[in-house]
Structure formats: C-alpha cells, structure tokens
Amino acid sequence: MRPKLTLTKHYRGFDAETEFQRVAEYGSWHPAAAKLETVDHTGRIEVTKHELETYFAA
C-alpha cells in the first residue's frame, strides 16, 4: 500500500485535506520529484520536492 499524502492548503485546484498517493517518483533528470494521484482517482499532479515539503503532509 502506498503512503497517503494530505494537501495542507488549497493548491493547484485541489482543496485542503485532499488525499493523494504517490504513483511515480522521478530522479534528478526530471523537473518534478513525483507524480501524485488523488486516492479517489479523480486527479493527478506532478510536484517538485519543494512543493512536497511546502504543501503536503504524510
């Protein structure tokens, strides 16, 4: 089971408290650090390491 990440504030069209799961991780070759998908499978976003640290809680 993938760990859930919870959005801590409204960001990029998603409400605070939206839960995501990490579906892909990227290395230093990619501008984003990870691809996240909502746990209800209604949306996906790619985020940088800075965005993960700023807007999400595990």
Side-chain angles (χ1 to χ4, degrees):
M1 184 171 180
R2 296 179 179 114
K4 291 181 185 173
L5 300 169
T6 303
L7 191 58
T8 57
K9 56 185 108 174
H10 183 81
Y11 186 63
R12 289 173 59 178
F14 293 96
D15 294 328
E17 304 301 320
T18 301
E19 290 186 322
F20 291 84
Q21 60 188 356
R22 192 181 308 232
V23 295
E25 292 184 24
Y26 306 116
S28 59
W29 53 270
H30 197 282
K35 181 183 286 185
L36 306 179
E37 182 173 340
T38 57
V39 294
D40 63 3
H41 307 289
T42 59
R44 282 188 175 190
I45 56 174
E46 289 184 327
V47 293
T48 65
K49 183 176 183 232
H50 176 72
E51 288 170 317
L52 284 171
E53 294 168 349
T54 303
Y55 298 103
F56 295 89

